[in-house]
Structures are given as C-alpha cells and as structure tokens.
Amino acid sequence: IKNNFCHFNMFHLAQEVYPDLSVIDGFEGMEGNGPTHGTPVDSRVAIASLDPLAADTLATKVMGFDPKQVLFFSAMNEAGMGQGETEKIKVVGTPLGQCLYKFKPHQDMARLYKL
C-alpha cells in the first residue's frame, strides 16, 4: 500500500510541477543500497530530453529495470504527459542496445518489485 501512495503522489506532483528539460548525468551511476552504501558503476551515460518521462523511461531501461513496473511512469504515459514506451522513443547518439547495464537494485526495491 505504501508504495502505491508514492506512485500516486509522484503522478499528481508531476501534474503540478513538470520540467521543460531533463538531464540525467549517469557518467558514474550507483547500484545497490545507495546513496550511502551503494557501489559506483562506471556507466558513462548521459540522457537529455525535452520529455522528462522519456528520459526517466530510458534511464530505467539503461539500468536494467523494466520501466513498465514504475506505476507512475505508466500513469503519466496514459495521461499523455510524455512518452513512456521505450520502443517509441527516438534515441540520438549511441544506440540504446549498446548502453544497457544490469544494475543491482536497492534491497528495498528488490523486495518491493520482486527483483
């Protein structure tokens, strides 16, 4: 239940405060139990988009997670707040298939999403 409230709140917050530009610096990522007990990942990835949902969707995919499991991404996509379907996002630069990793999830997320 607690997780559903988080997704509900994130969706409604995005309806009020939505950025015009999203820049994700993944030059050095972090996996596991971050931010204090995570392990650095030398991923050397950067994502920028005028569509924040598309950027977050791609970042989730790059990290090796399924963006469709992030409920507020799906809700935002269905509400027309951006593109949340990976296959419909135009990637410029290095092809997405060459940027995929398999990050270890945070233990709480692993338990919550059965990862």
Side-chain angles (χ1 to χ4, degrees):
I1 294 286
K2 183 178 178 182
N3 182 50
N4 291 340
F5 284 122
C6 176
H7 288 284
F8 177 83
N9 289 337
M10 292 295 289
F11 173 70
H12 286 287
L13 179 63
Q15 291 177 324
E16 300 299 324
V17 182
Y18 202 70
D20 295 317
L21 173 67
S22 179
V23 178
I24 300 171
D25 173 7
F27 190 77
E28 182 176 69
M30 181 176 287
E31 66 180 0
N33 294 333
T36 58
H37 295 94
T39 304
V41 176
D42 187 27
S43 49
R44 298 180 185 259
V45 174
I47 297 172
S49 179
L50 297 175
D51 179 346
L53 177 57
D56 284 345
T57 297
L58 284 180
T60 302
K61 181 76 172 175
V62 164
M63 293 173 67
F65 302 111
D66 181 2
K68 294 183 190 303
Q69 283 191 299
V70 183
L71 299 178
F72 71 93
F73 285 2
S74 299
M76 291 171 66
N77 187 54
E78 288 178 26
M81 296 174 68
Q83 185 52 259
E85 296 180 41
T86 308
E87 55 281 348
K88 293 183 179 179
I89 299 171
K90 180 181 178 185
V91 176
V92 178
T94 305
L96 181 61
Q98 295 178 22
C99 301
L100 301 178
Y101 291 83
K102 185 65 180 153
F103 279 50
K104 294 176 189 165
H106 190 284
Q107 66 185 14
D108 293 342
M109 295 295 103
R111 187 172 37 257
L112 185 63
Y113 289 105
K114 297 177 178 66
L115 301 173

